[in-house]
């Protein structure tokens, strides 16, 4: 049973981290390490299991991940084509397809490694690619799994503010479907609070005016809410922000000015919820983040969110990648 000790340690650490603050990326990594340690622990016990259970363990540890990689690559390529067709060829819309092609490129490189070369340098290169790809893939799966769990959060207890983050306007003045989804969810939270007898929270819409916009996003958002039946007295606008960080920073200032003991909930789209939650934690916002429904093909936007998180921690990631390359060179020279 000692093989399961690391699993128990990481699981307890994960639960403690979630209890302390659900908005930490560390929780995602701890969840991934828990699953990884459990897989290794199960492998050490295979010889003690009946035949059918042994086959199941091998399938879960090796076969399922291998098939999942191929399926994920195909999904990303297909989704990338959909994104380009529906949203245009902006760099952000190309990420999904490029990620899928990258997966197949690495698989092809590994499969053909024995045929393309056998020098120490080439073997080191292959190993370095595999290690770095595995590291990035591990972090991405951690992010994906925890973001899914975080997205299951529901609003509990009374809140003073519902902060709705802006996301751009159509034609410089109209609320697009992506933003309407956020506003609709924010309005629903306000009404749910009122229906159960609590004081209706203030809808705080946040978004400044971009260079191609005719008015601040928050102003268009406020008009949309009032047109949908929101009480104008319970709608406030934060019109200075240009980024998610500024959305949350400036909104916090407004909330603290109204009530320094405020509790809020922040609304964004589901693919953006976890990264927005990490930003909210960094900016000292007292409240969790919930996600609103988004079109299925926008699921690839999760990659964009992961890239942003990876870049925010670029120093740590760069150091670890250098260590992995060093390890690959050392091992490759011994082959």
């Amino acid at each position: 049973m000692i093989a399961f000790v690391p699993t128990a340690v990481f699981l307890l650490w994960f639960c403690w981290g979630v209890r302390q603050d659900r908005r930490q990326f560390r929780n995602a990594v701890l969840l991934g390490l828990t699953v990884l340690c459990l897989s290794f622990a199960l492998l050490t016990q295979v010889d003690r299991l009946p035949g059918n259970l042994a086959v199941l363990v091998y399938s879960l540890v090796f076969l399922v991940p291998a098939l999942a990689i191929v399926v994920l690559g195909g999904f990303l390529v297909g989704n990338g084509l959909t994104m380009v067709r529906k949203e245009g060829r902006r760099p952000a819309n190309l990420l999904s397809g490029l990620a899928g092609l990258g997966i197949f490129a690495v698989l092809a490189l590994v499969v053909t490694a024995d045929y393309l070369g056998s020098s120490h340098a080439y073997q080191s290169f292959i190993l370095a690619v595999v290690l770095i790809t595995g590291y990035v893939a591990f972090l991405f799966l951690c992010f994906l799994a925890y973001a899914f769990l975080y997205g299951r959060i529901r609003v509990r207890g009374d809140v003073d503010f519902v902060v709705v983050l802006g996301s751009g306007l159509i034609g410089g003045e109209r609320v697009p479907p992506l933003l309407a989804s956020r506003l609709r969810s924010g309005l629903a939270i306000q009404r749910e609070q009122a229906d159960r007898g609590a004081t209706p929270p203030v809808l705080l819409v946040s978004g400044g005016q971009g260079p191609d916009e005719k008015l601040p996003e928050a102003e268009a958002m406020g008009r949309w809410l009032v047109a949908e039946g929101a009480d104008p007295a319970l709608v406030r606008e934060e019109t200075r922000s240009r980024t998610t960080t500024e959305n949350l920073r400036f909104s916090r200032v407004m909330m603290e000015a109204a009530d320094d003991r405020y509790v809020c909930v922040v609304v964004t789209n589901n693919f953006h919820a976890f990264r927005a939650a990490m930003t909210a934690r960094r900016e000292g916002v007292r409240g969790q983040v919930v996600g609103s429904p988004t079109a299925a093909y926008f699921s690839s936007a999760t990659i964009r969110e992961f890239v942003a998180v990876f870049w925010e921690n670029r120093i740590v990631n760069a150091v670890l990648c250098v260590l992995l390359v060093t390890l690959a060179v050392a091992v490759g020279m011994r082959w």
Side-chain angles (χ1 to χ4, degrees), residues 6 33 46 54 69 162 177 212 301:
L33 290 173
V46 165
I69 290 173
V162 178
D212 59 342

Side-chain angles (χ1 to χ4, degrees), residues 138-303:
F138 171 74
L139 289 182
F140 176 67
L141 290 174
C142 291
F143 178 84
L144 194 65
Y146 190 73
F148 175 80
L149 293 176
Y150 187 89
R152 308 280 77 76
I153 289 176
R154 293 293 178 265
V155 179
R156 295 180 180 177
D158 297 346
V159 296
D160 304 299
F161 293 90
V162 178
V163 181
V164 185
L165 306 184
S167 67
L169 303 174
I170 295 177
E173 59 183 339
R174 291 184 291 114
V175 169
L178 197 71
L179 183 52
S181 174
R182 301 182 183 187
L183 293 166
R184 199 172 289 113
S185 294
L187 189 56
I189 292 172
Q190 185 191 60
R191 288 171 175 170
E192 287 171 4
Q193 294 268 309
D195 288 345
R196 64 185 185 80
T199 302
V202 172
L203 285 165
L204 176 54
V205 290
S206 176
Q209 183 173 351
D212 59 342
E213 294 175 334
K214 301 176 182 178
L215 73 166
E217 293 171 12
E219 187 175 331
M221 295 161 71
R223 291 177 182 176
W224 189 97
L225 286 169
V226 172
E228 291 293 314
D231 182 352
L234 293 176
V235 177
R236 295 184 189 174
E237 299 171 1
E238 181 286 299
T239 58
R240 294 188 296 155
S241 56
R242 298 291 186 87
T243 65
T244 299
T245 298
E246 290 184 350
N247 284 147
L248 294 164
R249 181 179 300 160
F250 299 153
S251 296
R252 176 179 60 80
V253 171
M254 291 180 64
M255 290 186 288
E256 287 179 343
D259 179 1
D260 59 5
R261 301 181 65 182
Y262 76 90
V263 176
C264 74
V265 61
V266 180
V267 181
T268 184
N269 291 99
N270 49 19
F271 64 81
H272 185 235
F274 182 39
R275 186 164 76 90
M278 288 188 285
T279 304
R281 177 177 180 270
R282 188 169 64 245
E283 292 299 319
V285 175
R286 289 199 297 275
Q288 298 296 331
V289 181
V290 298
S292 64
T294 312
Y297 67 85
F298 257 104
S299 58
S300 62
T302 304
I303 297 175

